[in-house]
Amino acid sequence: MADVEEKLEQEPQNLEKKLRNKGKHNKPKPWDDDPNIDRWTVEKFDPAWNPTGMLEVSSFSTLFPQYREKYLQDSWPRIESALKQYGVACKLNLVEGSMTVTTTRKTRDPYIVVKARDLIKLLSRSVPAPQAIKILEDEVQCDIIKIGNLVRNKERFVKRRQRLLGPNSSTLKAMEILTDCYILVQGSTVAAMGSFKGLKQVRRVVEECLRNEIHPVYQIKNLMMRKELAKDPTLATESWDRFLPTFRKKNVQQKKPKSKEKKAYTPFPPSQQPSKVDKQLESGEYFMSEQKKSDKKWQEKQEKQTEKSTEKKRKRDASFLPPEEPTRNNNNSNKSEEGKKDLTELTQSLKSKTKELKKQKKTQEKVNAEEYIAVA
């Protein structure tokens, strides 16, 4: 039993050794575990790496809308001079409405033609020329996100696209700051320029907004939290889920359509509606002559006209009628009567007090001082 257990333990170790040494390219290299090497940095191209140049000519062309023709014509010398530094030729065809970039004998960087292709794509999507020329740098990448097919309804599409911009383009500016990318919303596309990490974040935010999954404001809050957490080196190896906000989608109850009440089923068909001739027979109009019919129609027309004219006259005269005077309520009259009673009572009390004062003065005048002097 002990031998069997040892064999079972040795089997996975043997399999690992076989997998590791399957091919020459899988062998461990001395620079795999070197901490000084940063594998994410993009080294700047040195022309000495390709001294002979390109063997074949590569070219890319793209169409541009008519409203961009004037701007491209004005800024084309600047674009030509920027591409000339990298040995790439460019051509603007105003008849066909196209832009073309091609490699030349002076081209050394094999990837620069792909960068030039991205440049003309950005120019056709209304990106300004000074900003679009930055794509030729090695650190800058671009992504053109198509949003036209994500929403079918035109009104919903316009609302969600505006949601992406925000009031006074505040949402878009916040996204640009947090992702370190240049973002431009134009028509049914979103053009973004920046690093690979930033472009990935921008694409996720744009697609989730257009699909009505998460509002861009919540995405911005999430990005702000991530940016703050990235500053702390102690949290580099830990999960950030406990710090990040969780937004649950609320299921808003929609108004249910009013269901029509079903009528009771009857095997018999509905009664036939009377025709025009039947109605004329009932009223007796069918047996009238053409002259009488026309007279009757004219009379009905006159009656309708008189009714309308009287109604219009009544409305016109209503504006000249004087407004009704406000009627005094009984409560106000009662209050005024009570006020009068109070005044009469006050006057009577004042009169009585003045009479008493006059009597007191008279009595004081009649008093003799001799009566109060003691006799010696």
Side-chain angles (χ1 to χ4, degrees), residues 78-113:
R78 187 174 186 176
I79 296 157
E80 269 186 331
S81 63
L83 288 168
K84 196 175 181 181
Q85 293 174 11
Y86 298 93
V88 179
C90 58
K91 186 183 177 184
L92 178 68
N93 193 337
L94 296 173
V95 177
E96 293 178 1
S98 65
M99 292 179 283
T100 311
V101 287
T102 54
T103 55
T104 60
R105 289 180 180 181
K106 293 180 181 179
T107 309
R108 293 291 176 267
D109 187 358
Y111 193 71
I112 197 67
V113 71

mmCIF file of all heavy atoms in Angstrom, residues 78-113:
data_model
loop_
_atom_site.group_PDB
_atom_site.id
_atom_site.type_symbol
_atom_site.label_atom_id
_atom_site.label_comp_id
_atom_site.label_asym_id
_atom_site.label_seq_id
_atom_site.Cartn_x
_atom_site.Cartn_y
_atom_site.Cartn_z
ATOM 1 N N ARG A 78 0.074 70.843 -42.505
ATOM 2 C CA ARG A 78 0.555 70.470 -41.169
ATOM 3 C C ARG A 78 0.621 68.941 -41.028
ATOM 4 O O ARG A 78 1.568 68.405 -40.435
ATOM 5 C CB ARG A 78 -0.388 71.064 -40.122
ATOM 6 C CG ARG A 78 0.099 70.894 -38.705
ATOM 7 C CD ARG A 78 -0.814 71.623 -37.744
ATOM 8 N NE ARG A 78 -0.288 71.585 -36.396
ATOM 9 C CZ ARG A 78 -0.841 72.207 -35.365
ATOM 10 N NH1 ARG A 78 -1.930 72.936 -35.549
ATOM 11 N NH2 ARG A 78 -0.317 72.126 -34.156
ATOM 12 N N ILE A 79 -0.372 68.246 -41.556
ATOM 13 C CA ILE A 79 -0.417 66.778 -41.482
ATOM 14 C C ILE A 79 0.723 66.183 -42.325
ATOM 15 O O ILE A 79 1.382 65.226 -41.918
ATOM 16 C CB ILE A 79 -1.794 66.257 -41.947
ATOM 17 C CG1 ILE A 79 -2.905 66.745 -41.008
ATOM 18 C CG2 ILE A 79 -1.821 64.733 -42.027
ATOM 19 C CD1 ILE A 79 -4.274 66.782 -41.624
ATOM 20 N N GLU A 80 0.941 66.770 -43.505
ATOM 21 C CA GLU A 80 2.014 66.291 -44.392
ATOM 22 C C GLU A 80 3.382 66.417 -43.725
ATOM 23 O O GLU A 80 4.196 65.487 -43.785
ATOM 24 C CB GLU A 80 1.998 67.092 -45.703
ATOM 25 C CG GLU A 80 1.145 66.463 -46.779
ATOM 26 C CD GLU A 80 1.263 67.209 -48.102
ATOM 27 O OE1 GLU A 80 1.525 68.434 -48.074
ATOM 28 O OE2 GLU A 80 1.093 66.570 -49.145
ATOM 29 N N SER A 81 3.610 67.553 -43.086
ATOM 30 C CA SER A 81 4.915 67.771 -42.438
ATOM 31 C C SER A 81 5.118 66.822 -41.256
ATOM 32 O O SER A 81 6.230 66.355 -40.996
ATOM 33 C CB SER A 81 5.026 69.221 -41.967
ATOM 34 O OG SER A 81 4.042 69.494 -40.986
ATOM 35 N N ALA A 82 4.021 66.496 -40.526
ATOM 36 C CA ALA A 82 4.118 65.569 -39.389
ATOM 37 C C ALA A 82 4.441 64.158 -39.858
ATOM 38 O O ALA A 82 5.261 63.459 -39.247
ATOM 39 C CB ALA A 82 2.811 65.580 -38.601
ATOM 40 N N LEU A 83 3.827 63.730 -40.971
ATOM 41 C CA LEU A 83 4.074 62.380 -41.496
ATOM 42 C C LEU A 83 5.432 62.274 -42.191
ATOM 43 O O LEU A 83 6.017 61.199 -42.261
ATOM 44 C CB LEU A 83 2.955 61.978 -42.464
ATOM 45 C CG LEU A 83 1.590 61.663 -41.829
ATOM 46 C CD1 LEU A 83 0.527 61.562 -42.897
ATOM 47 C CD2 LEU A 83 1.642 60.381 -41.018
ATOM 48 N N LYS A 84 5.918 63.398 -42.721
ATOM 49 C CA LYS A 84 7.204 63.402 -43.442
ATOM 50 C C LYS A 84 8.365 63.066 -42.497
ATOM 51 O O LYS A 84 9.356 62.453 -42.918
ATOM 52 C CB LYS A 84 7.415 64.782 -44.068
ATOM 53 C CG LYS A 84 8.488 64.796 -45.145
ATOM 54 C CD LYS A 84 8.558 66.166 -45.801
ATOM 55 C CE LYS A 84 9.618 66.174 -46.898
ATOM 56 N NZ LYS A 84 9.710 67.500 -47.538
ATOM 57 N N GLN A 85 8.221 63.420 -41.230
ATOM 58 C CA GLN A 85 9.273 63.109 -40.251
ATOM 59 C C GLN A 85 9.473 61.597 -40.094
ATOM 60 O O GLN A 85 10.566 61.143 -39.781
ATOM 61 C CB GLN A 85 8.910 63.716 -38.895
ATOM 62 C CG GLN A 85 8.924 65.234 -38.900
ATOM 63 C CD GLN A 85 8.412 65.809 -37.596
ATOM 64 O OE1 GLN A 85 8.239 65.078 -36.618
ATOM 65 N NE2 GLN A 85 8.166 67.118 -37.578
ATOM 66 N N TYR A 86 8.411 60.824 -40.300
ATOM 67 C CA TYR A 86 8.472 59.361 -40.169
ATOM 68 C C TYR A 86 8.627 58.665 -41.521
ATOM 69 O O TYR A 86 8.583 57.435 -41.586
ATOM 70 C CB TYR A 86 7.199 58.846 -39.478
ATOM 71 C CG TYR A 86 7.032 59.377 -38.078
ATOM 72 C CD1 TYR A 86 6.287 60.533 -37.833
ATOM 73 C CD2 TYR A 86 7.617 58.737 -36.995
ATOM 74 C CE1 TYR A 86 6.120 61.024 -36.547
ATOM 75 C CE2 TYR A 86 7.458 59.215 -35.702
ATOM 76 C CZ TYR A 86 6.705 60.355 -35.493
ATOM 77 O OH TYR A 86 6.550 60.839 -34.217
ATOM 78 N N GLY A 87 8.766 59.434 -42.590
ATOM 79 C CA GLY A 87 8.956 58.865 -43.928
ATOM 80 C C GLY A 87 7.697 58.271 -44.519
ATOM 81 O O GLY A 87 7.746 57.271 -45.243
ATOM 82 N N VAL A 88 6.542 58.878 -44.248
ATOM 83 C CA VAL A 88 5.246 58.406 -44.769
ATOM 84 C C VAL A 88 4.668 59.490 -45.661
ATOM 85 O O VAL A 88 4.653 60.670 -45.283
ATOM 86 C CB VAL A 88 4.267 58.070 -43.620
ATOM 87 C CG1 VAL A 88 2.924 57.618 -44.168
ATOM 88 C CG2 VAL A 88 4.852 56.997 -42.713
ATOM 89 N N ALA A 89 4.188 59.088 -46.850
ATOM 90 C CA ALA A 89 3.566 60.033 -47.788
ATOM 91 C C ALA A 89 2.054 59.995 -47.612
ATOM 92 O O ALA A 89 1.484 58.934 -47.311
ATOM 93 C CB ALA A 89 3.929 59.662 -49.219
ATOM 94 N N CYS A 90 1.404 61.152 -47.812
ATOM 95 C CA CYS A 90 -0.063 61.228 -47.684
ATOM 96 C C CYS A 90 -0.636 62.036 -48.848
ATOM 97 O O CYS A 90 0.025 62.922 -49.398
ATOM 98 C CB CYS A 90 -0.460 61.855 -46.353
ATOM 99 S SG CYS A 90 0.200 63.493 -46.090
ATOM 100 N N LYS A 91 -1.886 61.695 -49.191
ATOM 101 C CA LYS A 91 -2.530 62.331 -50.346
ATOM 102 C C LYS A 91 -3.988 62.603 -50.002
ATOM 103 O O LYS A 91 -4.679 61.733 -49.449
ATOM 104 C CB LYS A 91 -2.431 61.403 -51.566
ATOM 105 C CG LYS A 91 -2.943 62.030 -52.851
ATOM 106 C CD LYS A 91 -2.872 61.020 -53.995
ATOM 107 C CE LYS A 91 -3.461 61.606 -55.269
ATOM 108 N NZ LYS A 91 -3.484 60.605 -56.359
ATOM 109 N N LEU A 92 -4.448 63.820 -50.357
ATOM 110 C CA LEU A 92 -5.841 64.214 -50.130
ATOM 111 C C LEU A 92 -6.542 64.328 -51.474
ATOM 112 O O LEU A 92 -6.165 65.153 -52.310
ATOM 113 C CB LEU A 92 -5.900 65.555 -49.382
ATOM 114 C CG LEU A 92 -7.293 66.131 -49.112
ATOM 115 C CD1 LEU A 92 -8.051 65.293 -48.113
ATOM 116 C CD2 LEU A 92 -7.175 67.566 -48.595
ATOM 117 N N ASN A 93 -7.561 63.499 -51.689
ATOM 118 C CA ASN A 93 -8.317 63.493 -52.951
ATOM 119 C C ASN A 93 -9.685 64.104 -52.688
ATOM 120 O O ASN A 93 -10.557 63.472 -52.073
ATOM 121 C CB ASN A 93 -8.452 62.051 -53.462
ATOM 122 C CG ASN A 93 -8.944 62.007 -54.904
ATOM 123 O OD1 ASN A 93 -9.567 62.945 -55.388
ATOM 124 N ND2 ASN A 93 -8.653 60.910 -55.589
ATOM 125 N N LEU A 94 -9.879 65.339 -53.163
ATOM 126 C CA LEU A 94 -11.149 66.042 -52.925
ATOM 127 C C LEU A 94 -12.246 65.585 -53.876
ATOM 128 O O LEU A 94 -13.429 65.782 -53.585
ATOM 129 C CB LEU A 94 -10.939 67.551 -53.065
ATOM 130 C CG LEU A 94 -9.991 68.195 -52.045
ATOM 131 C CD1 LEU A 94 -9.740 69.642 -52.406
ATOM 132 C CD2 LEU A 94 -10.537 68.080 -50.639
ATOM 133 N N VAL A 95 -11.877 65.004 -55.000
ATOM 134 C CA VAL A 95 -12.881 64.519 -55.973
ATOM 135 C C VAL A 95 -13.586 63.279 -55.413
ATOM 136 O O VAL A 95 -14.821 63.189 -55.401
ATOM 137 C CB VAL A 95 -12.210 64.203 -57.339
ATOM 138 C CG1 VAL A 95 -13.221 63.643 -58.320
ATOM 139 C CG2 VAL A 95 -11.546 65.448 -57.899
ATOM 140 N N GLU A 96 -12.789 62.318 -54.953
ATOM 141 C CA GLU A 96 -13.366 61.093 -54.379
ATOM 142 C C GLU A 96 -13.746 61.273 -52.912
ATOM 143 O O GLU A 96 -14.523 60.480 -52.370
ATOM 144 C CB GLU A 96 -12.353 59.948 -54.491
ATOM 145 C CG GLU A 96 -12.063 59.519 -55.917
ATOM 146 C CD GLU A 96 -11.018 58.413 -55.986
ATOM 147 O OE1 GLU A 96 -10.536 57.982 -54.905
ATOM 148 O OE2 GLU A 96 -10.683 57.996 -57.102
ATOM 149 N N GLY A 97 -13.184 62.287 -52.262
ATOM 150 C CA GLY A 97 -13.426 62.502 -50.835
ATOM 151 C C GLY A 97 -12.721 61.473 -49.979
ATOM 152 O O GLY A 97 -13.324 60.873 -49.085
ATOM 153 N N SER A 98 -11.407 61.266 -50.273
ATOM 154 C CA SER A 98 -10.649 60.234 -49.562
ATOM 155 C C SER A 98 -9.264 60.754 -49.166
ATOM 156 O O SER A 98 -8.739 61.695 -49.761
ATOM 157 C CB SER A 98 -10.488 58.995 -50.425
ATOM 158 O OG SER A 98 -9.707 59.278 -51.570
ATOM 159 N N MET A 99 -8.677 60.093 -48.151
ATOM 160 C CA MET A 99 -7.312 60.359 -47.705
ATOM 161 C C MET A 99 -6.522 59.056 -47.792
ATOM 162 O O MET A 99 -7.041 57.998 -47.418
ATOM 163 C CB MET A 99 -7.301 60.849 -46.252
ATOM 164 C CG MET A 99 -7.919 62.212 -46.060
ATOM 165 S SD MET A 99 -7.900 62.727 -44.324
ATOM 166 C CE MET A 99 -9.236 61.761 -43.669
ATOM 167 N N THR A 100 -5.277 59.152 -48.271
ATOM 168 C CA THR A 100 -4.439 57.958 -48.458
ATOM 169 C C THR A 100 -3.069 58.197 -47.846
ATOM 170 O O THR A 100 -2.496 59.277 -47.984
ATOM 171 C CB THR A 100 -4.282 57.642 -49.963
ATOM 172 O OG1 THR A 100 -5.569 57.652 -50.580
ATOM 173 C CG2 THR A 100 -3.639 56.286 -50.183
ATOM 174 N N VAL A 101 -2.560 57.160 -47.146
ATOM 175 C CA VAL A 101 -1.192 57.196 -46.596
ATOM 176 C C VAL A 101 -0.432 55.991 -47.139
ATOM 177 O O VAL A 101 -0.966 54.886 -47.213
ATOM 178 C CB VAL A 101 -1.200 57.184 -45.051
ATOM 179 C CG1 VAL A 101 -1.655 58.497 -44.496
ATOM 180 C CG2 VAL A 101 -2.035 56.052 -44.481
ATOM 181 N N THR A 102 0.835 56.194 -47.541
ATOM 182 C CA THR A 102 1.668 55.113 -48.100
ATOM 183 C C THR A 102 3.078 55.210 -47.541
ATOM 184 O O THR A 102 3.560 56.299 -47.193
ATOM 185 C CB THR A 102 1.733 55.213 -49.644
ATOM 186 O OG1 THR A 102 2.175 56.524 -50.003
ATOM 187 C CG2 THR A 102 0.399 54.929 -50.292
ATOM 188 N N THR A 103 3.729 54.051 -47.487
ATOM 189 C CA THR A 103 5.135 54.013 -47.052
ATOM 190 C C THR A 103 6.033 54.413 -48.224
ATOM 191 O O THR A 103 5.674 54.244 -49.388
ATOM 192 C CB THR A 103 5.506 52.606 -46.571
ATOM 193 O OG1 THR A 103 5.221 51.665 -47.601
ATOM 194 C CG2 THR A 103 4.759 52.234 -45.316
ATOM 195 N N THR A 104 7.226 54.912 -47.911
ATOM 196 C CA THR A 104 8.210 55.304 -48.930
ATOM 197 C C THR A 104 9.540 54.583 -48.636
ATOM 198 O O THR A 104 9.641 53.795 -47.698
ATOM 199 C CB THR A 104 8.419 56.826 -48.902
ATOM 200 O OG1 THR A 104 8.900 57.202 -47.606
ATOM 201 C CG2 THR A 104 7.124 57.560 -49.205
ATOM 202 N N ARG A 105 10.565 54.902 -49.447
ATOM 203 C CA ARG A 105 11.896 54.318 -49.227
ATOM 204 C C ARG A 105 12.548 54.818 -47.940
ATOM 205 O O ARG A 105 13.428 54.159 -47.387
ATOM 206 C CB ARG A 105 12.800 54.652 -50.422
ATOM 207 C CG ARG A 105 12.421 53.903 -51.684
ATOM 208 C CD ARG A 105 13.351 54.268 -52.815
ATOM 209 N NE ARG A 105 13.005 53.553 -54.043
ATOM 210 C CZ ARG A 105 13.668 53.675 -55.183
ATOM 211 N NH1 ARG A 105 14.722 54.490 -55.257
ATOM 212 N NH2 ARG A 105 13.297 52.999 -56.259
ATOM 213 N N LYS A 106 12.093 55.982 -47.479
ATOM 214 C CA LYS A 106 12.657 56.563 -46.253
ATOM 215 C C LYS A 106 12.006 56.002 -44.984
ATOM 216 O O LYS A 106 12.452 56.307 -43.880
ATOM 217 C CB LYS A 106 12.492 58.085 -46.276
ATOM 218 C CG LYS A 106 13.330 58.759 -47.345
ATOM 219 C CD LYS A 106 13.115 60.253 -47.321
ATOM 220 C CE LYS A 106 13.938 60.945 -48.413
ATOM 221 N NZ LYS A 106 13.714 62.408 -48.402
ATOM 222 N N THR A 107 10.943 55.210 -45.123
ATOM 223 C CA THR A 107 10.241 54.651 -43.956
ATOM 224 C C THR A 107 11.107 53.582 -43.300
ATOM 225 O O THR A 107 11.581 52.658 -43.970
ATOM 226 C CB THR A 107 8.889 54.038 -44.378
ATOM 227 O OG1 THR A 107 8.160 54.979 -45.155
ATOM 228 C CG2 THR A 107 8.069 53.646 -43.159
ATOM 229 N N ARG A 108 11.292 53.718 -41.996
ATOM 230 C CA ARG A 108 12.086 52.740 -41.250
ATOM 231 C C ARG A 108 11.226 51.940 -40.269
ATOM 232 O O ARG A 108 11.392 50.759 -40.113
ATOM 233 C CB ARG A 108 13.204 53.460 -40.483
ATOM 234 C CG ARG A 108 14.255 54.093 -41.379
ATOM 235 C CD ARG A 108 15.099 53.038 -42.084
ATOM 236 N NE ARG A 108 16.058 53.636 -43.018
ATOM 237 C CZ ARG A 108 15.820 53.835 -44.312
ATOM 238 N NH1 ARG A 108 14.632 53.494 -44.826
ATOM 239 N NH2 ARG A 108 16.728 54.358 -45.102
ATOM 240 N N ASP A 109 10.308 52.630 -39.601
ATOM 241 C CA ASP A 109 9.443 51.962 -38.623
ATOM 242 C C ASP A 109 8.329 51.211 -39.361
ATOM 243 O O ASP A 109 7.517 51.839 -40.045
ATOM 244 C CB ASP A 109 8.839 53.000 -37.663
ATOM 245 C CG ASP A 109 8.079 52.368 -36.515
ATOM 246 O OD1 ASP A 109 7.982 51.126 -36.480
ATOM 247 O OD2 ASP A 109 7.583 53.120 -35.654
ATOM 248 N N PRO A 110 8.240 49.881 -39.233
ATOM 249 C CA PRO A 110 7.198 49.145 -39.972
ATOM 250 C C PRO A 110 5.789 49.375 -39.436
ATOM 251 O O PRO A 110 4.810 49.181 -40.155
ATOM 252 C CB PRO A 110 7.606 47.676 -39.807
ATOM 253 C CG PRO A 110 8.500 47.639 -38.639
ATOM 254 C CD PRO A 110 9.136 48.974 -38.506
ATOM 255 N N TYR A 111 5.681 49.811 -38.158
ATOM 256 C CA TYR A 111 4.349 49.999 -37.555
ATOM 257 C C TYR A 111 3.796 51.404 -37.781
ATOM 258 O O TYR A 111 2.635 51.653 -37.502
ATOM 259 C CB TYR A 111 4.424 49.716 -36.050
ATOM 260 C CG TYR A 111 3.071 49.586 -35.393
ATOM 261 C CD1 TYR A 111 2.251 48.485 -35.636
ATOM 262 C CD2 TYR A 111 2.604 50.578 -34.530
ATOM 263 C CE1 TYR A 111 1.015 48.366 -35.032
ATOM 264 C CE2 TYR A 111 1.365 50.474 -33.920
ATOM 265 C CZ TYR A 111 0.579 49.360 -34.184
ATOM 266 O OH TYR A 111 -0.661 49.243 -33.586
ATOM 267 N N ILE A 112 4.616 52.309 -38.295
ATOM 268 C CA ILE A 112 4.177 53.707 -38.438
ATOM 269 C C ILE A 112 3.058 53.854 -39.460
ATOM 270 O O ILE A 112 2.238 54.768 -39.357
ATOM 271 C CB ILE A 112 5.374 54.629 -38.801
ATOM 272 C CG1 ILE A 112 5.028 56.108 -38.549
ATOM 273 C CG2 ILE A 112 5.817 54.429 -40.240
ATOM 274 C CD1 ILE A 112 4.834 56.443 -37.094
ATOM 275 N N VAL A 113 2.987 52.942 -40.431
ATOM 276 C CA VAL A 113 1.909 53.023 -41.432
ATOM 277 C C VAL A 113 0.556 52.715 -40.794
ATOM 278 O O VAL A 113 -0.480 53.267 -41.188
ATOM 279 C CB VAL A 113 2.200 52.085 -42.629
ATOM 280 C CG1 VAL A 113 2.049 50.610 -42.260
ATOM 281 C CG2 VAL A 113 1.289 52.419 -43.802
#
